[in-house]
């Protein structure tokens, strides 16, 4: 049995990741859990304007989708994907408090050994290096315990803060995916960025520390 009370076939899961210190505090990644409901719902309901322009559209109403009562099924769905080895759904914690989410998805082993990565941070905490630290921790986890070779991400060209975060982690642009994803009610272009293990020079977190963006906690 693992920490989440069920068997996992997943290298690197459900290990927590971190810590790393940035201006906002000490950042860690840990698996999503059922008791995140109140914090998740409070932030997601308050931050609709901050989050909705960058997230895939759904038919469900934002209020309903982010009610406290919606979390158990969202969380169980994420944990089920994790147990199957397809996803690593993490909460980003800062000084032990829920600050956002980082998700590693479409995990593939064999000759591809690839995944995508995505994240969000509560608006009240932005600008303190949290996403940068979380992404660096997530990437080192992917290239270490999860044993991946390539991690990719997609981002809208208009999303300047997220592009800055991806650039600090060393992501390389591979192209523009035209009308790639239905986001905020329309088919939006996305930049495809990627990183392979050969490009990280040992560790993404170490590179952040060397560049003065973070320090060891
Ligand atoms: N133009 C250019 N750069 C900007 C702007 C702007 N308007 N605003 C902020 N930035 C820069 C900051 O200066 C900082 O870079 P720096 O450290 O080099 O100065 C960077 O953006 C932000 O870095 P962090 O502080 O590490 O990031 P933060 O914790 O603020 O989180 C995030 C950034 C995740 C994009 C947050 O704003 C958020 O949750 N946005 C809404 C959801 C979202 O966009 N998620 C990402 C989707 S794409 C994906 O997941 C791959």
């Amino acid at each position: 049995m693992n920490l989440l009370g069920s068997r996992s076939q997943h290298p690197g899961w459900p290990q927590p990741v971190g810590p790393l210190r940035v201006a906002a505090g000490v950042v860690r990644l840990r698996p999503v859990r059922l008791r995140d409901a109140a914090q998740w719902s409070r932030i997601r309901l308050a931050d609709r304007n901050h989050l909705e322009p960058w997230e895939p559209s759904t038919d469900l109403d934002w209020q309903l989708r982010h009610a406290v009562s919606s979390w158990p099924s969202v969380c169980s769905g994420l944990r089920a994907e994790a147990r199957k080895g397809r996803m690593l759904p993490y909460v980003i914690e800062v000084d032990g408090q829920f600050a956002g989410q980082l998700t590693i998805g479409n995990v593939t082993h064999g000759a591809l050994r690839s995944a995508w990565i995505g994240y969000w941070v509560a608006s009240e905490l932005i600008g303190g290096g949290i996403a940068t630290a979380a992404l660096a921790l997530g990437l080192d986890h992917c290239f270490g315990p999860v044993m991946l070779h390539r991690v990719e991400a997609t981002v809208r060209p208009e999303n300047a803060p997220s592009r800055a975060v991806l650039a600090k982690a060393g992501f390389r642009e591979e192209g523009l995916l035209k009308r790639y994803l239905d986001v905020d009610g329309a088919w939006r272009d996305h930049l495809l960025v990627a990183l392979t293990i050969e490009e990280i020079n040992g560790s993404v977190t170490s590179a952040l520390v060397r560049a003065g963006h973070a320090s060891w906690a």
Side-chain angles (χ1 to χ4, degrees):
M1 297 285 268
N2 64 31
L3 291 176
L4 297 176
S6 53
R7 228 169 255 290
S8 171
Q9 330 159 345
H10 205 333
W13 181 261
Q15 277 166 241
V17 191
L20 190 64
R21 184 183 297 279
V22 288
V26 174
V27 177
R28 288 185 170 81
L29 306 178
R30 53 102 177 138
V32 293
R33 55 192 185 206
L34 282 173
R35 60 182 182 278
D36 291 323
Q39 301 250 60
W40 171 83
S41 172
R42 179 186 66 77
I43 296 170
R44 298 278 310 179
L45 287 174
D47 273 355
R48 179 174 182 166
N49 293 340
H50 170 60
L51 300 169
E52 206 171 26
W54 317 115
E55 298 197 355
S57 306
T58 71
D59 291 336
L60 287 173
D61 173 67
W62 187 272
Q63 303 287 326
L64 199 62
R65 197 150 65 89
H66 296 102
V68 172
S69 57
S70 295
W71 178 249
S73 65
V74 172
C75 182
S76 308
L78 293 171
R79 283 164 42 160
E81 286 298 292
R83 282 195 301 277
K84 288 176 193 146
R86 294 201 282 248
M87 192 177 254
L88 292 94
Y90 284 112
V91 161
I92 305 171
E93 278 189 354
V94 178
D95 296 335
Q97 299 299 311
F98 186 111
Q101 286 176 269
L102 178 133
T103 308
I104 298 155
N106 200 20
V107 176
T108 312
H109 293 285
L112 192 55
R113 286 204 274 147
S114 172
W116 56 253
I117 198 161
Y119 43 79
W120 64 269
V121 169
S123 64
E124 63 199 14
L125 296 170
I126 58 174
I130 296 170
T132 302
L135 180 59
L137 291 169
L139 287 168
D140 279 349
H141 196 59
C142 286
F143 292 126
V146 189
M147 298 187 290
L148 298 182
H149 173 251
R150 173 187 157 96
V151 178
E152 62 183 38
T154 54
V155 61
R156 289 183 64 185
E158 303 88 340
N159 194 344
S162 185
R163 288 180 68 180
V165 169
L166 292 162
K168 276 185 284 178
F171 274 95
R172 169 177 44 74
E173 283 187 19
E174 294 196 330
L176 183 67
L177 306 173
K178 299 293 286 181
R179 297 173 292 283
Y180 174 65
L181 195 61
D182 186 347
V183 170
D184 201 18
W187 294 103
R188 311 287 185 178
D189 295 351
H190 279 70
L191 287 165
L192 173 64
V193 300
L195 197 54
T196 64
I197 196 165
E198 295 84 356
E199 296 169 285
I200 63 166
N201 193 16
S203 152
V204 183
T205 44
S206 300
L208 268 192
V209 171
R210 282 197 303 274
H213 292 304
S215 58
W216 304 117

